Amino acid sequence: MTHEEVIRSLKRLLSERVRIPFARAQALAPDAPLLKDGLGLDSLDCVELTLGMEEVFGLVFDDSEEDWMHHFSCLDTLSQLVLTAKGELA
């Protein structure tokens, strides 16, 4: 799976799981902020997105990590998290 494929899937998840309007999700740049002053995701949105990522990508994320919100800074960092978890990014 490529970085671009993961980004496309993440945009679809934003629409389906977090209820971000489809056109808005599709227009997001990979480095656009997802939290607070950016897209405005909160911690519950991030949990819902994580559940969707686990389903779509077949992953189980370690919830013992204290500072997991930094992964949600933008689509690029989420893509890196997915690819790393799948063993497709060194």
Side-chain angles (χ1 to χ4, degrees), residues 11-63:
K11 288 179 177 183
R12 190 169 39 258
L13 281 171
L14 284 170
S15 295
E16 295 171 357
R17 298 294 295 244
V18 187
R19 305 286 189 235
I20 301 300
F22 182 78
R24 186 170 183 203
Q26 294 304 308
L28 278 174
D31 61 348
L34 298 179
L35 305 171
K36 297 179 186 169
D37 293 334
L39 189 57
L41 299 185
D42 61 22
S43 59
L44 293 177
D45 293 328
C46 292
V47 168
E48 188 60 36
L49 189 55
T50 299
L51 294 173
M53 289 166 40
E54 289 181 337
E55 287 177 19
V56 168
F57 300 113
L59 301 172
V60 176
F61 293 107
D62 179 10
D63 60 0

